[in-house]
Amino acid sequence: MNNIASAAFLSKLRPVEKFVLLITSALVILDTFMIIYKGSNVAYLDYLRVAFVAIVCFSAGFYYRISGRSEQIATALACTGMLVAFTAALGMYNYLLLPLTRPTIDIYITELDAVFGYFWPSVMEFAAQYPMVVFIMKLAYGSTLFQVAALVIILGFAGMYRDLDRLMILLTITAVIAVCFWGLFPTLGAKSMYPLSDEIWSAVNPPVNKEYALHLVSLAKFGPDIITASELRGMIAFPSYHAVLAFIAMYSARNIKYLNVFFLILNLVILPSTFIHGGHHMMDLPAGFFVFLIGMWLTNILYKKFEIRKAALKPQVA
């Protein structure tokens, strides 16, 4: 009976939804084994809240689908719930890799940056002279997750299933690639390599500030006291996942009338913002673009494999 119910449930999922569910389930199992093996301290109640939000979104979407009320709403809600669960599971895995058991490769990336004349303290000193520009860049830099949420809702409600499917695959694949690469070759960014004066920190006021940088170094050395869903910080410097998300957003919004130009401009601002507000090496940006290209290549393969065009419930809406 359970097998019949499971088969009926899976039959209602779109191919990409099955893919994201599979990856998320694998991450949850991996997280569980690592928690047991390492004896990590986890704020389970915090993660239960996240799971509740994910389940509510997904269940609401599933209801809209099986009731036949609105496939657009169903897809948008289901994808939102899945991304919430996936992000939490992958974020936990990233923190379970701490403390680092191998040295970071920041020194090598710094040497490569120097070949191109990039010196992060000089970039920050220059940025400190233009507070209004830096503030605008900060707003753009902080918009990436909101952009992803907006794109899922817009593409889902507009019935643009092909673009939404590619977005879901891209996000899943590139995030896994970035975290796994970081696990093998960890980096903390230029912010962990150079001291800056308090005056420059204060003038630029980046979200990844001095305290943030010191906390990342402490996490790398000693690991977190407790892993919580609400206080996870971006650990990955190389490749810059902010850059990856910017490229994904520009690509995913290309067919959205009237908004595609907005997403293009916003994310073109985000790319240089990674150096100032993310404390990144110069090489982190092209590395992010390379991860995006790999994600695109794998997405195209999976897209054909899943036969997304045949599985789409409604035609693409321009």
Side-chain angles (χ1 to χ4, degrees):
M1 193 67 180
N2 289 334
N3 290 335
I4 295 175
S6 298
F9 168 74
L10 291 174
S11 68
K12 295 295 183 180
L13 297 181
R14 305 172 73 249
V16 166
E17 293 168 355
K18 294 178 184 178
F19 171 71
V20 178
L21 180 61
L22 175 64
I23 299 299
T24 303
S25 300
L27 283 170
V28 170
I29 293 172
L30 179 60
D31 288 345
T32 302
F33 276 107
M34 290 186 69
I35 290 170
I36 295 173
Y37 174 75
K38 299 184 69 174
S40 301
N41 190 14
V42 178
Y44 294 106
L45 183 59
D46 201 22
Y47 279 96
L48 283 176
R49 295 191 188 100
V50 175
F52 176 76
V53 172
I55 291 172
V56 168
C57 289
F58 181 81
S59 299
F62 197 71
Y63 167 74
Y64 270 93
R65 178 169 294 163
I66 62 176
S67 66
R69 298 181 64 179
S70 173
E71 178 56 30
Q72 287 95 330
I73 295 177
T75 302
L77 287 174
C79 288
T80 298
M82 286 186 164
L83 282 180
V84 169
F86 168 76
T87 302
L90 187 62
M92 176 183 283
Y93 174 70
N94 196 177
Y95 262 56
L96 286 168
L97 295 175
L98 300 171
L100 297 179
T101 57
R102 62 187 70 195
T104 69
I105 62 171
D106 287 290
I107 185 64
Y108 304 109
I109 300 177
T110 300
E111 292 173 353
L112 187 57
D113 282 350
V115 173
F116 294 92
Y118 179 87
F119 186 59
W120 184 70
S122 296
V123 172
M124 296 297 282
E125 289 173 8
F126 178 78
Q129 302 175 41
Y130 302 94
M132 183 55 67
V133 175
V134 167
F135 177 71
I136 293 173
M137 295 175 77
K138 182 178 181 179
L139 293 178
Y141 184 81
S143 72
T144 50
L145 293 182
F146 296 103
Q147 287 189 61
V148 171
L151 283 168
V152 169
I153 294 172
I154 292 170
L155 295 174
F157 274 63
M160 301 174 71
Y161 301 125
R162 292 196 295 271
D163 288 336
L164 178 56
D165 289 335
R166 287 182 177 275
L167 171 62
M168 295 291 290
I169 298 172
L170 264 172
L171 288 171
T172 305
I173 289 176
T174 55
V176 170
I177 290 175
V179 171
C180 290
F181 182 87
W182 185 86
L184 295 172
F185 307 101
T187 50
L188 297 177
K191 57 189 173 293
S192 68
M193 300 293 293
Y194 303 101
L196 287 180
S197 67
D198 290 338
E199 290 76 16
I200 294 178
W201 280 119
S202 178
V204 178
N205 191 27
V208 180
N209 54 26
K210 181 179 179 180
E211 290 71 25
Y212 192 113
L214 292 174
H215 184 61
L216 291 186
V217 172
S218 176
L219 285 174
K221 289 183 178 179
F222 308 110
D225 294 328
I226 184 170
I227 301 176
T228 68
S230 58
E231 294 185 10
L232 292 183
R233 298 179 183 234
M235 298 289 301
I236 301 171
F238 182 89
S240 166
Y241 198 65
H242 254 84
V244 177
L245 287 177
F247 291 121
I248 290 176
M250 286 187 283
Y251 172 78
S252 299
R254 71 195 185 285
N255 292 323
I256 304 176
K257 287 183 177 179
Y258 310 115
L259 289 177
N260 47 10
V261 175
F262 169 77
F263 277 96
L264 175 63
I265 295 174
L266 178 60
N267 287 285
L268 286 177
V269 174
I270 287 176
L271 294 178
S273 300
T274 59
F275 304 130
I276 299 169
H277 293 295
H280 280 280
H281 302 288
M282 186 184 77
M283 288 294 105
D284 297 346
L285 183 57
F289 182 62
F290 184 66
V291 170
F292 168 72
L293 291 180
I294 294 176
M296 282 292 301
W297 174 63
L298 293 174
T299 295
N300 289 334
I301 294 174
L302 288 173
Y303 188 85
K304 294 176 182 178
K305 182 179 178 62
F306 296 153
E307 297 182 335
I308 299 298
R309 295 181 184 275
K310 294 180 181 179
L313 299 179
K314 290 188 178 180
Q316 176 81 8
V317 177

